[in-house]
């Protein structure tokens, strides 16, 4: 006895609910299944890798190679040109103006190409990096590109996806979700591989590194929260998947809410970076030196406009203690005080103490003095993620039970009509395999 058409339809429905995102034929990027082709986009990280290799040499030739990787590129093709990390910033006036966070950053720095001024200046040893040491320039060149150029452009892609959805144009940019896919492609990059376990150089990689310093990894493989996937990346992946489903359904409002959560979450690794160098660059605490001071400024510059949007006094204080051009930098007011100041704007920035965690000593689980995680009343995102998982599970269960029920009724009807034993395709078995 073969399954009835109804039973087949049910089975397909259940399968579709379970594997919804798997319909596309594109390879996963760090666990995310794109519904459009973003392979070239994701390969922009190969330019970033070349940039980093050049800057790490800390020689004239190395910096020149870094600047070429940044401004000429070559690994990320567009239809009839080459995509560059520099272009994310120099093209921003035209493409990003009017977007909430870009406008905030532009207003704070007083220019639309603020990211390029920082990054080019560091790679070239010009502008604010005119008299800077090679250690300082190397940090500014790499981290400026990652946390200012790329960071803002990822946000732009998410805004773009919502805009395409709002105007009902799912085919703009090869489908509204295409811009969403691009966002993840730039966030993670190709070097992370299909599962996110590779050795990347984009924002995903930063989150992975910082979770080890702040005991905010997921404890996925070994029960340890200082190794494995970052909680931020795990939450981020769920949000990207959720948003993709909303966009495919044309639910722009729900997708917009997800976008805002992603943008908030993107602040967590940067704040962790700031805190790490609050400590390391503090002459009374860490090893100090040009490298730590430069890393401090690179992270701080990436978050300052956002901090300023919450509290101008906190931003002024942070800038005075972190800007390489400031007489009070690095950290003349000490890491304990600065940490407290930064924590005061967490809730305004949409992040929580538990997301940020605390700075641990080396590879231990012991926190530095005064660097325990601060306290907050709820853990925000992880609860939302959990709620989403429970809701998704409930939908699958409900569809499955519906099939079971309908199938049994059909079976009874047919049984009565045919007076025969149906056996075969057991309805209870199909529920059991869910
Ligand atoms: C960096 O160097 C390149 C190549 O010499 C030059 O074209 C560019 O204007 C420089 N930019 C800055 C900000 O120094």
């Amino acid at each position: 006895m073969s399954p009835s058409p109804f039973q087949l339809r049910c089975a397909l429905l259940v399968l579709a609910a379970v594997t919804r995102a798997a319909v596309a034929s594109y390879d996963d990027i760090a666990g995310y299944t794109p519904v459009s082709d973003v392979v070239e986009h994701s390969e922009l990280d190969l330019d970033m890798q070349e940039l980093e290799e050049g800057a790490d040499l800390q020689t004239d030739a190395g910096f020149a190679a870094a600047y070429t990787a940044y401004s000429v590129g070559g690994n990320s093709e567009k239809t009839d040109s080459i995509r560059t990390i520099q272009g994310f910033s120099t093209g921003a006036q035209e493409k990003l103006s009017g977007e909430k966070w870009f406008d905030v950053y532009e207003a704070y720095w007083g220019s639309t190409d603020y990211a390029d001024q920082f990054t080019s200046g560091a790679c070239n040893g010009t502008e604010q990096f005119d008299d800077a040491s090679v250690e300082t320039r190397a940090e500014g060149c790499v981290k400026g590109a990652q946390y200012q150029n790329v960071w803002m452009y990822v946000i732009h892609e998410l805004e773009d996806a919502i805009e395409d959805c709002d105007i009902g144009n799912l085919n703009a940019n090869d489908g509204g979700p295409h811009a969403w896919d691009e966002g993840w492609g730039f966030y993670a990059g190709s070097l992370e591989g299909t599962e996110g376990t590779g050795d990347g150089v984009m924002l995903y990689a930063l989150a992975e590194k910082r979770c080890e310093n702040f005991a905010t990894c997921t404890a996925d493989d070994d029960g340890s929260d200082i190794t494995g996937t970052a909680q931020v990346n795990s939450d981020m992946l769920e949000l990207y998947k959720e948003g993709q489903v909303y966009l495919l359904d044309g639910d722009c409002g729900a997708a917009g809410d997800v976008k805002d959560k992603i943008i908030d979450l993107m602040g967590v690794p940067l704040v962790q970076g700031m805190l790490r160098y609050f400590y390391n660059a503090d002459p009374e605490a860490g090893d100090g030196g040009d490298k730590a001071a430069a890393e401090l400024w690179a992270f701080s510059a990436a978050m300052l406009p956002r901090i300023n949007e919450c509290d101008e006094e906190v931003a002024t204080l942070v800038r005075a203690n972190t800007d390489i051009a400031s007489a009070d930098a690095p950290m003349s007011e000490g890491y304990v005080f600065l940490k407290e100041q930064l924590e005061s704007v967490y809730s305004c920035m949409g992040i929580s103490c538990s997301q940020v965690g605390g700075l641990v000593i080396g590879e231990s689980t012991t926190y530095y003095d005064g660097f325990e995680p601060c306290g907050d009343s709820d853990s925000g995102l992880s609860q939302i993620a959990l709620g989403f998982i429970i809701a998704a599970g409930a939908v699958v269960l409900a569809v499955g039970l519906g099939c079971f029920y309908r199938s049994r009724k059909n079976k009874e009807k047919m049984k009565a009509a045919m007076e025969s034993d149906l056996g075969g395709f057991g309805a209870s078995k199909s529920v059991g395999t869910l």
Side-chain angles (χ1 to χ4, degrees):
M1 168 82 209
S2 54
S4 72
F6 177 75
Q7 285 171 325
L8 273 178
R9 244 190 14 246
C10 263
L12 285 175
L13 202 62
V14 171
L15 199 68
V18 175
T19 60
R20 169 145 212 168
V23 289
S25 55
Y26 300 99
D27 285 345
D28 279 8
I29 298 172
Y32 174 84
T33 310
V35 292
S36 59
D37 185 357
V38 290
V39 173
E40 287 291 331
H41 305 78
S42 72
E43 290 177 351
L44 188 68
D45 68 343
L46 302 176
D47 288 346
M48 187 68 83
Q49 192 179 39
E50 288 174 19
L51 186 164
E52 195 169 334
E53 282 164 6
D56 279 352
L57 296 174
Q58 301 185 2
T59 59
D60 285 349
F63 283 119
Y67 186 79
T68 301
Y70 170 74
S71 59
V72 179
N75 292 294
S76 183
E77 282 180 27
K78 296 204 269 191
T79 319
D80 30 47
S81 60
I82 300 281
R83 180 180 294 104
T84 66
I85 302 167
Q86 183 181 41
F88 280 179
S89 175
T90 50
Q93 179 167 20
E94 196 186 319
K95 293 178 88 173
L96 278 66
S97 289
E99 292 173 9
K100 177 178 167 182
W101 289 110
F102 176 72
D103 287 355
V104 166
Y105 275 62
E106 180 199 343
Y108 183 84
W109 295 117
S111 66
T112 54
D113 63 346
Y114 66 87
D116 179 54
Q117 287 181 22
F118 187 101
T119 307
S120 284
C123 300
N124 282 1
T126 58
E127 314 246 345
Q128 61 172 306
F129 293 91
D130 203 3
D131 298 319
S133 70
V134 288
E135 286 87 0
T136 304
R137 285 174 56 194
E139 293 301 335
C141 178
V142 176
K143 291 188 168 62
Q146 292 166 322
Y147 312 141
Q148 295 193 57
N149 292 64
V150 176
W151 194 83
M152 185 57 76
Y153 205 79
V154 169
I155 293 177
H156 162 68
E157 292 294 358
L158 302 179
E159 298 288 0
D160 197 21
I162 305 301
E163 203 174 298
D164 290 345
C165 184
D166 280 337
I167 59 175
N169 189 358
L170 278 184
N171 292 318
N173 300 318
D174 182 24
H178 180 55
W180 195 261
D181 290 346
E182 287 180 68
W184 182 262
F186 293 135
Y187 177 81
S190 65
L191 295 166
E192 295 294 347
T194 54
E195 289 171 30
T197 48
D199 212 358
V201 291
M202 301 300 250
L203 301 162
Y204 187 98
L206 173 68
E208 300 286 276
K209 271 196 258 176
R210 287 298 98 97
C211 84
E212 296 176 1
N213 309 133
F214 285 82
T216 52
C217 307
T218 51
D220 45 0
D221 47 5
D222 57 358
S224 162
D225 54 12
I226 57 163
T227 57
T229 307
Q231 189 65 51
V232 164
N233 283 338
S234 168
D235 291 344
M236 191 80 81
L237 179 59
E238 289 313 310
L239 288 169
Y240 266 89
K241 287 180 182 172
E242 193 184 340
Q244 188 191 59
V245 170
Y246 287 137
L247 288 169
L248 288 169
D249 285 348
D251 191 345
C252 313
D257 291 343
V258 173
K259 173 210 69 180
D260 290 337
K261 284 180 202 158
I262 291 176
I263 295 171
D264 287 347
L265 199 53
M266 284 173 69
V268 172
L270 294 180
V271 165
Q272 289 175 327
M274 287 180 73
L275 290 172
R276 178 171 151 91
Y277 293 99
F278 275 2
Y279 185 89
N280 286 356
D282 183 342
E284 308 280 307
D287 298 335
D290 272 6
K291 187 174 185 301
E295 295 190 76
L296 171 69
W297 177 228
F299 282 110
S300 172
M303 277 310 271
L304 265 175
R306 177 121 208 203
I307 296 168
N308 189 66
E309 192 65 6
C310 288
D311 189 321
E312 290 180 18
E313 277 175 41
V314 173
T316 303
L317 235 151
V318 167
R319 183 152 185 188
N321 281 271
T322 61
D323 189 336
I324 51 171
S326 160
D328 290 327
M331 301 302 293
S332 68
E333 288 173 271
Y335 76 89
V336 176
F337 178 63
L338 264 293
K339 174 176 179 281
E340 219 175 78
Q341 291 296 310
L342 188 56
E343 285 166 357
S344 75
V345 292
Y346 281 5
S347 70
C348 168
M349 296 196 295
I351 65 176
S352 69
C353 290
S354 61
Q355 285 175 325
V356 174
L359 185 62
V360 297
I361 301 171
E363 287 171 18
S364 74
T365 49
T366 310
Y367 296 112
Y368 278 105
D369 197 21
F371 247 115
E372 297 77 18
C374 52
D376 43 26
S377 40
D378 71 78
S379 58
L381 262 171
S382 53
Q383 283 182 358
I384 291 161
L386 192 67
F388 178 69
I389 289 162
I390 291 169
V395 168
V396 169
L397 197 67
V399 174
L401 284 175
C403 290
F404 173 70
Y405 179 70
R406 284 283 302 275
S407 177
R408 245 182 49 184
K409 268 175 75 173
N410 281 359
K411 217 157 124 182
E412 278 157 14
K413 260 195 253 162
M414 284 171 79
K415 191 172 176 181
M418 296 165 61
E419 289 187 7
S420 67
D421 188 351
L422 288 169
F425 190 84
S428 60
K429 208 167 161 192
S430 74
V431 170
T433 55
L434 287 176

